[in-house]
Amino acid sequence: MGKSILVFSVVVVFLFSIAYATPGIGTFYTSYTPSACYGNKPEGVMIAAASDKLWNNGRVCGKIFHVTCTGARNAVPHPCTGKTVTVKIVDHCPAGCASTIDLSFEAFSKIANPVAGIININYTP
């Protein structure tokens, strides 16, 4: 009985997190410093830049997001790996940014084929 309750609880939490994921667009970049949040201090490679939609005058700096590829946005069919990546927001996506979250190359590569360049994503803080 106890195992059944545990399994049920895990499934409910998983479904709850999926239900509250926000759709967006993901791209990648390769030059990580300096960043708008941390200057020339390296923050590793599982990082991302936030679009104006998320930036909120820098209040998103240091926040952790879970990002999953949900599909193609261009001619590359089936770019998604089926994995989710956890990234820390360290930068502000420059003006004209085509994405909601601009992932580091390493983070993008975990969830999608980099050849795609741009993908549909779901993200949760």
Side-chain angles (χ1 to χ4, degrees):
M1 177 86 170
K3 288 182 183 179
S4 297
I5 292 172
L6 177 63
V7 170
F8 177 75
S9 298
V10 169
V11 169
V12 168
V13 169
F14 176 73
L15 291 174
F16 183 75
S17 66
I18 289 173
Y20 287 96
T22 305
I25 300 170
T27 54
F28 70 86
Y29 67 114
T30 57
S31 182
Y32 308 145
T33 55
S35 73
C37 300
Y38 299 100
N40 286 314
K41 182 180 172 222
E43 291 295 316
V45 294
M46 290 303 156
I47 56 174
S51 66
D52 285 340
K53 176 181 177 180
L54 298 174
W55 184 245
N56 196 14
N57 293 319
R59 288 185 189 95
V60 74
C61 284
K63 301 281 185 202
I64 302 298
F65 282 80
H66 307 284
V67 183
T68 305
C69 176
T70 59
R73 285 196 67 84
N74 59 23
V76 176
H78 313 293
C80 303
T81 65
K83 296 180 181 177
T84 296
V85 68
T86 302
V87 294
K88 178 179 178 181
I89 301 295
V90 300
D91 212 349
H92 184 206
C93 201
C97 181
S99 65
T100 310
I101 298 179
D102 197 18
L103 300 158
S104 66
F105 177 81
E106 292 82 356
F108 189 98
S109 298
K110 283 201 181 270
I111 63 169
N113 181 345
V115 172
I118 187 168
I119 54 174
N120 291 318
I121 61 169
N122 278 342
Y123 63 92
T124 57

